[in-house]
Amino acid sequence: DGAIAAAQNAGGRFLVIEGPPGIGKTSLLANGRARATAAGFLVLQARGSELESGFSFGIVRQLFEPVLAQAKPDHKATLLHGAAAHAGRLFGAEAEMAQQDEDVAFSLLHGLYWLTLNLSERRPLVIAIDDLQWADTPSLRWLIYLARRIEGQGVCVIATIRPGSEESPLLSELLVDPGIAVLQPSALSLNSVTALVRAELGADADEAFCLACHRATGGNPLLLRELMRTLAAGDVRPIATSATVVERAAPDAVARSVRLRLSRLPSEAGRLARAVAILGDGVDRERAAALTDLEHRQIAPAAALLARVDLLRQRPPFAFIHPVVRNAVYESIRAEERESEHARAAEIVKTAKAPPAHIAAHILLAPPGSVDGAVAILRDAAREAVSEGGLEGASSYLRRALDEPIGDEERAALFVELGAIELNLGSTSTVEYFREAIMLTDDPKRRAQAQLHLGRALYRAGRDEEGVRVVKEALNEWTHADDLRRRLEATLVANATRLARRLEEARRLLDSLELDVGEGQGARMLLCLRAYHEAARGGNRERAAAEVQQAFGAMSDDEQRSAYVAACYTLLVSDHLDETVHLLDTLIAHARKVGAVFNFAGLSIMRATFHYALGALPEAESDARTALQVVPDRQVSWGTWAYGWLAQILVERGAVHEAAATVNAGEGETPSGADSFSRLPLLRARAVVAVARGDHQTALADAVALGETLAAYGHSNPAFSYPSWRSLAAQAQFGLGQTDEALRLIREDVTRARAWGAPRTLGRALRMLGVLEGAETGLERLREAVGLLEHSPARLEHAYALADLGGALRRANRRTDAREPLRRALEMAHQCGATRLAERAHDELVAAGARPRRRVFTGVDALTPSERRIAAMAADGLSNREIAQALFVTLRTVEMHLSQAFRKLDISTRTQLPGALATSPQTPGRVPAG
């Protein structure tokens, strides 16, 4: 009652009724449905079953398919509007088959969440699920996603579950969620059992007999009811001496009761009960008749008889009154007979043109070789599951297909398909699947394709040396000058890049290739990798940038989604900032459109680095925080990059303590098997934080470790670590009084940066050298840095150069000359959102004799990055719902941020937002974040 009342007032609740079979969970759920219906709720219901537990989104389909099927076209369009459209492929609204990756799964979860909210718009919604322990994996993922976002919605979920020793990890994750309330119905007391026994078996039933019934059943209502049926059928008197009969009958009371009731019915009823047990709940009259070999006219009377003795629900689609009853009937069928019946059931549902997953459910329980076309059906079911993000189900279908009598070539193809799926699941078996495929196939091209997959799997597993050997073997065998060979070469380079002794070999290969963007995907990947390595070793900047622009620009959307990292980093270190942000804006918009949240998060981190370089720190912080907020599980490849860059951004924003906590959080969530290259951003951020805190010893140790790691991976260009490890080490050494060593390091940075030629990197190196050298020579270095950065898009670095020049002039007792660069530095720092630099520039101005007013952060300046982004989207006319869908956050999050923004801006309506936000000065060279 409390959960239903809360949902009626937009206080979403998730309630789980947990207990053993027969304790009364289903009865409570039915009562909850009735109460919700009476209160005006829309009620959706589903029931888990063992037979369909591998059917992707089986629970979800039971819930939503009926209401969507009954909806009129205009209402259905409304329900599937906006982000809810991503759920369309489950219900026939999207025919497009998606690729097998984590974004497909998430886009469906995101779409189903918004479909749920759309359904609750007209009236509050109750989602009732019985036997959740048999729910399929994708449906469980959706429920976890919903549970974390149900607060503040007119939605109530009520589910029943029986505890088990082999509980699904996802189910465990759901049940420990702090937002879920768990009810555990108590067993019947001795007094209650006594009252029921006397009502059913006689008012004079002995206390000893009633005590025996209580002890034997543990007060379980279903078991007690079936025990009383059995005792009544056997004319057992309810007296003390009958206690031993109770003890013998109780353990299998349900099975005894079911067998006894079936034995008293005509054979047609027994055959129908067996057919429903095989076919599963929800079977229609035609399929039941086909499996029982009964005539249609015999089905209804048989169903009526089964309903009369409390075994079956009378009207089709047929279902048992309780899973325990179905289990009793199912277990009464001999094992070998069950298998042959499932084979017959597969043929029946296949003839009825059922979806592949429905047919596959029976094939999984049938003997190998017993169903014609089983492999094709299982592969179709796997492809369908993959398109819906149900990778676990797809894996089980393909593993079962391998049990069928098939030839080596088809078996090899199955191993490749299975390996590709399990690679996305993080399975340790993937490598062996690809090895099996290589051994089985005689077709040279299929062998090369399997070796390509194996090379990528070994890369993912961190077994780079093996990956290099496998791909080199493939290249020796597959000598055709085609896209497959190019993709093999790209995989070889990717593996070799993480191996110090293979690095130069990979670079020689890249340098030796004649590549053209029109050759195909492999050539374009190689061009991006070659440009990346050209940049990493500080080669020709113009050539690297031109090559990556040409290759990346010729890529399809899908190619760009997977290849953006190498391309964008090359453009970042080449100072192609503004145009790349525009490109990232487009890719992020596409990721939002298709609901690809992992891709959205990875791209957001990349855009954060560009905003950081441009000096748009609020936008950079917003991007970094958004990426970490939208993905519940942060154990992903870009996690360390997100935490590392956010920490650096926070240092510039003046939040050094939070930056240190962010680094610690990132280190705590870094996967244990992550390679040292993946940890680089956190290592750099630790050094940056230590420098900001004045902890020179820690900063020096971290900076040197950063340099050693970069060198091991062939990254000698100072632009590839920002700040460079030498500049961080030099700052620490200067603080420790090791001036000569600090100057040696920073001069080497200047030499390398000048050879590379990117203004941002060279400007920083010159600035650091000027600060360390001091005197007139230092001033010249600083003036060169300012001049170099004057027309650069790197506004933050330009502001630092002006501040350091002004500070150096002030220390040289040229206070008047110092004021203008310091004033410019202060203004630019404010525009960049660089709080730490602004405070320093302000103090320097005061020391130079000026009287700058401290900036009071009110209005737009008082908004947090997230508040500013959401307010800007609202000012552009987006509704709260559209903003939440675009940023993959909840409506409550949007409402909270907008409420805070309204308060800080001192406005009361959305129409006032454009004017209020327009008071913010536009940072020169900055691309808006929207």
Side-chain angles (χ1 to χ4, degrees):
D1 284 344
I4 291 170
Q8 207 161 18
N9 294 294
R13 295 285 296 277
F14 200 123
L15 185 65
V16 172
I17 306 169
E18 183 182 35
I23 199 68
K25 305 184 298 296
T26 300
S27 297
L28 281 171
L29 185 65
N31 190 276
R33 290 199 309 266
R35 288 169 184 254
T37 301
F41 279 67
L42 171 64
V43 177
L44 309 182
Q45 55 185 320
R47 182 175 179 179
S49 77
E50 292 175 282
L51 183 63
E52 295 189 351
S53 59
F55 183 24
S56 295
F57 288 106
I59 292 292
V60 164
R61 292 176 197 275
Q62 288 185 55
L63 292 169
F64 294 110
E65 277 181 344
V67 70
L68 288 172
Q70 294 166 15
K72 294 179 179 179
D74 56 342
H75 182 43
K76 185 175 180 178
T78 300
L79 293 177
L80 292 173
H81 178 68
H86 300 313
R89 67 169 61 95
L90 288 180
F91 311 108
E94 277 189 17
E96 178 186 354
M97 297 292 278
Q99 297 298 312
Q100 52 198 40
D101 61 31
E102 56 197 359
D103 273 329
V104 173
F106 192 95
S107 68
L108 280 168
L109 302 185
H110 188 58
L112 288 167
Y113 168 72
W114 283 100
L115 173 58
T116 304
L117 265 57
N118 289 347
L119 278 165
S120 67
E121 279 286 284
R122 293 188 178 183
R123 52 180 172 148
L125 174 68
V126 159
I127 293 172
I129 306 170
D130 205 4
D131 287 319
L132 190 61
Q133 74 278 355
W134 290 322
D136 58 280
T137 299
S139 291
L140 279 175
R141 284 206 183 94
W142 166 66
L143 286 168
I144 291 170
Y145 189 83
L146 176 62
R148 291 170 176 165
R149 294 161 175 80
I150 201 170
E151 185 182 0
Q153 307 303 327
V155 180
C156 176
V157 180
I158 309 173
T160 71
I161 182 173
R162 64 171 71 170
S165 57
E166 296 183 4
E167 189 174 272
S168 155
L170 280 176
L171 198 54
S172 301
E173 183 181 346
L174 178 67
L175 294 177
V176 299
D177 190 289
I180 289 180
V182 179
L183 289 181
Q184 295 173 315
S186 301
L188 299 175
S189 66
L190 174 58
N191 288 339
S192 297
V193 169
T194 299
L196 289 170
V197 169
R198 287 175 175 168
E200 291 292 325
L201 301 180
D204 57 349
D206 284 353
E207 288 187 11
F209 180 88
C210 295
L211 178 60
C213 289
H214 182 262
R215 186 183 298 118
T217 63
N220 183 288
L222 177 66
L223 189 55
L224 178 66
R225 185 180 67 184
E226 298 305 322
L227 174 63
M228 288 190 293
R229 283 181 184 273
T230 302
L231 296 174
D235 293 325
V236 177
R237 294 179 60 197
I239 58 178
T241 55
S242 298
T244 55
V245 179
V246 170
E247 291 169 2
R248 287 197 305 270
D252 60 347
V254 176
R256 282 172 181 260
S257 174
V258 169
R259 287 197 301 269
L260 183 61
R261 279 177 273 172
L262 285 174
S263 69
R264 295 177 174 178
L265 298 177
S267 63
E268 292 85 356
R271 286 154 67 185
L272 177 59
R274 285 160 54 102
V276 176
I278 293 291
L279 289 165
D281 286 350
V283 61
D284 59 28
R285 193 190 309 268
E286 287 71 22
R287 295 181 193 182
L291 190 59
T292 58
D293 293 325
L294 294 173
E295 296 180 13
H296 276 226
R297 61 182 178 80
Q298 295 175 291
I299 295 294
L305 290 171
L306 291 168
R308 195 174 302 157
V309 294
D310 280 345
L311 293 178
L312 208 66
R313 296 171 187 167
Q314 182 173 354
R315 295 180 179 176
F318 299 122
F320 286 98
I321 62 164
H322 198 282
V324 173
V325 175
R326 183 259 176 187
N327 190 61
V329 175
Y330 191 75
E331 292 295 328
S332 71
I333 309 170
R334 290 182 295 113
E336 60 273 19
E337 193 176 347
R338 283 201 301 265
E339 289 185 348
S340 63
E341 288 293 279
H342 277 295
R344 286 188 63 209
E347 297 289 358
I348 289 168
V349 295
K350 181 171 66 169
T351 302
K353 301 189 184 306
H358 287 272
I359 310 169
H362 292 288
I363 296 175
L364 292 174
L365 299 170
S370 62
V371 179
D372 290 340
V375 173
I377 294 166
L378 289 165
R379 290 176 84 171
D380 285 344
R383 279 191 285 270
E384 188 177 84
V386 164
S387 75
E388 299 165 354
L391 299 182
E392 293 89 352
S395 174
S396 67
Y397 294 142
L398 293 180
R399 278 189 270 113
R400 172 62 182 81
L402 287 166
D403 294 334
E404 291 291 308
I406 52 177
D408 285 351
E409 289 297 336
E410 189 169 13
R411 190 173 297 277
L414 280 171
F415 273 124
V416 170
E417 288 180 40
L418 180 58
I421 288 167
E422 297 219 347
L423 187 62
N424 281 287
L425 288 171
S427 170
T428 56
S429 306
T430 300
V431 167
E432 295 312 313
Y433 290 146
F434 292 131
R435 288 197 193 281
E436 288 282 350
I438 293 166
M439 291 172 59
L440 286 168
T441 184
D442 292 325
D443 183 283
K445 187 168 187 177
R446 287 182 181 173
R447 178 179 169 83
Q449 289 169 334
Q451 288 168 314
L452 173 63
H453 283 294
L454 178 57
R456 290 174 176 172
L458 290 166
Y459 179 86
R460 288 275 291 270
R463 294 158 64 178
D464 309 292
E465 187 65 54
E466 287 182 74
V468 168
R469 287 199 300 269
V470 166
V471 179
K472 287 185 76 171
E473 181 182 338
L475 286 167
N476 288 335
E477 296 173 1
W478 187 256
T479 57
H480 300 273
D482 61 2
D483 185 55
L484 175 56
R485 182 171 180 84
R486 291 302 190 216
R487 284 186 285 133
L488 283 165
E489 289 166 338
T491 303
L492 173 64
V493 171
N495 277 282
T497 297
R498 299 200 304 194
L499 297 167
R501 73 186 196 88
R502 296 278 193 181
L503 183 63
E504 288 308 314
E505 178 184 352
R507 287 179 171 175
R508 283 196 299 273
L509 171 63
L510 286 170
D511 292 341
S512 70
L513 296 174
E514 292 291 334
L515 300 169
D516 185 88
V517 293
E519 286 185 60
Q521 180 181 359
R524 291 187 285 272
M525 290 168 61
L526 283 164
L527 282 165
C528 285
L529 286 167
R530 187 161 69 187
Y532 177 89
H533 279 277
E534 177 83 9
R537 59 190 170 190
N540 187 302
R541 181 169 65 100
E542 289 78 11
R543 182 172 62 210
E547 196 162 65
V548 84
Q549 286 172 324
Q550 182 187 25
F552 200 70
M555 286 182 176
S556 66
D557 289 344
D558 285 340
E559 286 179 70
Q560 287 185 342
R561 281 183 58 192
S562 61
Y564 71 88
V565 175
C568 287
Y569 263 103
T570 304
L571 295 171
L572 175 69
V573 301
S574 302
D575 278 11
H576 288 269
L577 304 181
D578 289 318
E579 62 267 40
T580 309
V581 170
H582 285 299
L583 172 64
L584 288 167
D585 287 344
T586 302
L587 292 176
I588 286 172
H590 177 71
R592 284 173 173 165
K593 180 180 178 182
V594 301
V597 71
F598 290 89
N599 193 234
F600 168 80
L603 287 163
S604 293
I605 290 303
M606 183 60 72
R607 192 171 65 177
T609 67
F610 277 84
H611 279 143
Y612 176 84
L614 283 164
L617 294 177
E619 288 83 353
E621 182 184 345
S622 181
D623 272 334
R625 289 191 186 278
T626 297
L628 289 172
Q629 288 168 357
V630 298
V631 182
D633 178 9
R634 295 170 188 164
Q635 302 289 320
V636 288
S637 58
W638 43 257
T640 56
W641 301 84
Y643 281 108
W645 280 110
L646 177 59
Q648 284 188 223
I649 293 162
L650 288 172
V651 168
E652 299 298 345
R653 300 280 283 157
V656 177
H657 291 302
E658 187 183 354
T662 300
V663 173
N664 292 336
E667 290 173 339
E669 294 195 16
T670 300
S672 57
D675 58 76
S676 55
F677 189 80
S678 299
R679 297 175 184 273
L680 277 172
L682 287 172
L683 189 57
R684 183 178 62 238
R686 276 177 51 187
V688 169
V689 170
V691 167
R693 285 178 157 179
D695 184 355
H696 304 307
Q697 290 287 4
T698 299
L700 180 59
D702 287 338
V704 170
L706 175 66
E708 290 171 348
T709 305
L710 285 164
Y713 290 100
H715 287 62
S716 56
N717 186 346
F720 255 89
S721 176
Y722 209 87
S724 74
W725 76 269
R726 290 185 187 85
S727 69
L728 290 168
Q731 284 177 279
Q733 288 170 330
F734 189 77
L736 293 168
Q738 302 169 13
T739 306
D740 290 344
E741 184 60 21
L743 283 168
R744 184 189 68 78
L745 282 178
I746 207 64
R747 282 169 180 154
E748 185 177 348
D749 243 12
V750 170
T751 300
R752 291 177 179 271
R754 203 179 289 282
W756 176 241
R760 183 170 73 117
T761 305
L762 179 55
R764 177 179 173 81
L766 288 167
R767 174 173 69 83
M768 295 299 302
L769 181 57
V771 170
L772 296 183
E773 284 184 333
E776 194 59 38
T777 304
L779 282 170
E780 286 306 310
R781 306 285 193 194
L782 290 168
R783 288 191 184 96
E784 185 183 355
V786 169
L788 188 67
L789 293 164
E790 190 75 42
H791 303 292
S792 163
R795 308 304 297 169
L796 178 62
E797 192 55 59
H798 188 199
Y800 265 108
L802 286 166
D804 282 338
L805 175 60
L809 289 167
R810 195 267 306 166
R811 288 188 293 277
N813 205 28
R814 295 163 63 178
R815 300 200 304 170
T816 302
D817 294 340
R819 291 170 192 165
E820 180 55 26
L822 286 172
R823 282 195 186 95
R824 290 183 63 198
L826 178 60
E827 182 58 31
M828 288 177 66
H830 283 317
Q831 291 175 351
C832 290
T835 306
R836 186 161 167 263
L837 176 60
E839 290 175 353
R840 198 181 106 198
H842 179 276
D843 293 344
E844 284 283 4
L845 264 174
V846 171
R851 295 183 179 180
R853 284 185 288 182
R854 280 216 177 263
R855 193 164 182 175
V856 179
F857 288 94
T858 59
V860 175
D861 289 331
L863 299 179
T864 67
S866 295
E867 289 166 355
R868 184 183 298 206
R869 170 164 292 178
I870 288 173
M873 294 174 80
D876 285 340
L878 275 69
S879 67
N880 288 7
R881 182 175 293 265
E882 289 169 329
I883 296 169
Q885 291 174 0
L887 297 179
F888 301 99
V889 296
T890 65
L891 274 169
R892 184 177 178 83
T893 299
V894 174
E895 290 162 358
M896 179 184 68
H897 283 315
L898 271 182
S899 175
Q900 292 291 337
F902 276 36
R903 181 180 61 79
K904 292 177 181 179
L905 295 171
D906 194 26
I907 60 175
S908 57
T909 66
R910 296 171 86 94
T911 56
Q912 295 172 284
L913 272 171
L917 293 174
T919 61
S920 174
Q922 177 68 36
T923 302
R926 187 182 74 191
V927 178

